[in-house]
Amino acid sequence: FMQLQNTQELSYLSAGISHDFKNLLNVVHGNLNLLEHKIDKLDPRQKRIIEDMYAAVKGGTVLVNGLLDLSRASAVEEEESLEVSSLINDTKRMLSRIMGSAIVINTEIEQGQTRITAVRSELESIFLNLAVNAKQAMRGSGEILLSAKKMSSDEILRDKLSLSQKVEYVLFSLADTGS
């Protein structure tokens, strides 16, 4: 029992450090994007330096994701009841810090309180990955729309999922002005 408890504590510690380090890598990546777009003309040496920095961030991200996957396998995070508008607004603040001022983050949330049961860090990770991809598609500037809409399963969806009754869920989406 003690060994299992120590393993879980180590897993939580590893996950916490990995998550913080991943956030730092995202900030470095975002600042590299800003730097790359603020410098009008890069000479070949500067381009190589920036490319090497991008490669280092990518390598660090792969390493951190591996550590996070390992810690998730060891310590499953618990689902919790989340208020959708709070989750979206918190995510907007996080993305605004990470994406920089050239990317405008907008939200669209239906009125009323809607709660879901989910693992917060998994949703935040999904939103962050989508936003980073969107930023790359926008080539450094543009708008991201993060939205949440309460939905209910229609007959076709119920048939596909073999559900016997109507199911309510929240549809999250992230759209960008990229090409």
Side-chain angles (χ1 to χ4, degrees), residues 45-65:
R45 185 175 170 263
Q46 291 171 320
K47 283 184 180 181
R48 276 193 306 278
I49 290 171
I50 289 178
E51 287 170 3
D52 289 346
M53 293 171 76
Y54 273 124
V57 168
K58 185 176 181 178
T61 301
V62 168
L63 176 65
V64 168
N65 285 339

Side-chain angles (χ1 to χ4, degrees), residues 4 13 15 26 31 64 74 87 90 109 116 120 122 144 146:
L4 176 62
L13 178 63
N26 284 324
N31 286 325
V64 168
S74 301
L87 173 68
D90 292 348
I109 311 166
I116 60 170
R120 176 182 280 275
E122 288 179 5
I144 291 176
L146 181 60

Side-chain angles (χ1 to χ4, degrees), residues 19 25 36 38 44 47 74 81 85 88 91 103 106 116-117 133-134 138 140 148:
H19 197 274
L25 287 171
E36 187 175 35
K38 289 214 183 248
K47 283 184 180 181
S74 301
S81 177
S85 63
I88 294 294
T91 301
I103 305 291
N106 294 311
I116 60 170
T117 302
N133 290 339
M138 292 184 285

